[in-house]
Each structure stands twice: as structure tokens, then as C-alpha cells.
Amino acid sequence: MNRRIAIAVVIALGVIGASYSALRAQETRSVWDGVYSEAQATRGAPLFDRECAGCHGPDGEGGGMAPALSGAAFNANYDGQSVGDLFERNRTTMPVGKEGQLSGQQIADITAFMLQVNKFPAGASELAIQSMMLKQIKYLAQKPSTP
Ligand code: HEC
């Protein structure tokens, strides 16, 4: 084989390999990878207090009529779903009586606060406000063991 072609093939394979691992890394992102920031959860806390705590309790521990948004039962409900699913649930069905009235940013901040309350680690970047992107982040009740 011509030497130049051989080099081009090697480079092309490298590029394909690198994008494949980047894709894999994205696919396997989960709530354990620091997907919201501390500052975002801090912004979400007063919003949660105002819009959600009346029914769900100050830390989402559950109230008379509304289920808990933290703890084992809640985590079991969302285990295997995505942060996008939770975001969409919050955005389209909550707060009861004011459904769909909060902005995407407010819902993302509230969702960040919920991740904090459920003891998932904070990281450097904020949760996005597009559910397409949030669908790529898995909600896993248990921390996956590192391979
Ligand atoms: C007026 C009372 C009320 C308010 C305010 C309210 N909720 Fe709810 N929420 C409920 C009730 C009742 C349910 C259970 C029935 C249902 O699923 O619709 C529920 C269910 C949920 C669920 C599903 C829980 C699960 O295990 O699947 C989520 C998530 C949720 N609420 C989040 C929120 C968030 C976030 C806010 C604030 C933005 C909020 N709620 C405000 C009453 C309320």
C-alpha cells in the first residue's frame, strides 16, 4: 500500500475510535457524574420552597397528599429513567394547579435542587434546560461500580 494512504487510514481509524469513546462516555453519564452545580441547586432551593414545598415538604420528604421527592421510594421510581424524564415530569405536570407555568430555567434549577436533596454529587457545570440533552443523563439510584 502507498505510504500516504496507509498514514491516512491510520489517522481515520484514530478519529473514529476517539469519537466512539466520546460517544460512549456521553451515553454512560449518570446523576453520579456531577451533572448540576452547587450554585444551581442554591438557586433552585427558594423556588422549590415557594412552588413545591407546600405539598411535598421543605426537603421533598412528602406531605399529606403529595408523595416524597427524595429517599428510597422516589429513587426506586426514577431508577433507570433519565434526568430528562424527571425534568419533563416537573415541567409538564407540576406544580399541580400551575402546570407548565414555570420557565425551563426555573424547572432545571428546581431539578438540580432535587438531585442535591437526593445526595447526588454536584459538579462544575449546570443542568441544561433542553430535555433532549437531559435525556442522556441516566438516573441511577445506586452508584455504578467503576469498570
Ligand atoms: C398542590 C400540590 C402540589 C404542588 C404545589 C406540587 N406537587 Fe408534585 N405532586 C403532587 C401530587 C398530589 C402528586 C402525585 C400525583 C401525581 O403524580 O400527579 C405529585 C407528584 C410529583 C412527582 C412524581 C413523583 C414520583 O414518584 O413519580 C414529582 C416529580 C413532583 N410531584 C414534583 C413536583 C415539583 C418539582 C413541584 C414544584 C415545581 C411540585 N411537584 C409541586 C402535588 C403537588
Side-chain angles (χ1 to χ4, degrees), residues 46-121:
L47 286 171
F48 186 92
D49 201 50
R50 193 176 76 210
E51 305 288 352
C52 323
C55 295
H56 289 284
D59 282 317
E61 63 273 41
M65 289 289 287
L69 301 179
S70 59
F74 178 77
N75 277 298
N77 279 353
Y78 282 89
D79 190 30
Q81 297 199 52
S82 72
V83 174
D85 295 325
L86 177 58
F87 175 86
E88 280 302 307
R89 179 75 151 99
N90 290 340
R91 192 177 71 82
T92 60
T93 74
M94 296 292 145
V96 170
K98 269 178 81 178
E99 299 87 347
Q101 290 182 27
L102 302 186
S103 71
Q105 188 64 61
Q106 287 175 314
I107 293 293
D109 295 352
I110 287 171
T111 305
F113 174 74
M114 289 170 68
L115 294 179
Q116 184 183 56
V117 164
N118 281 289
K119 305 204 162 53
F120 297 113

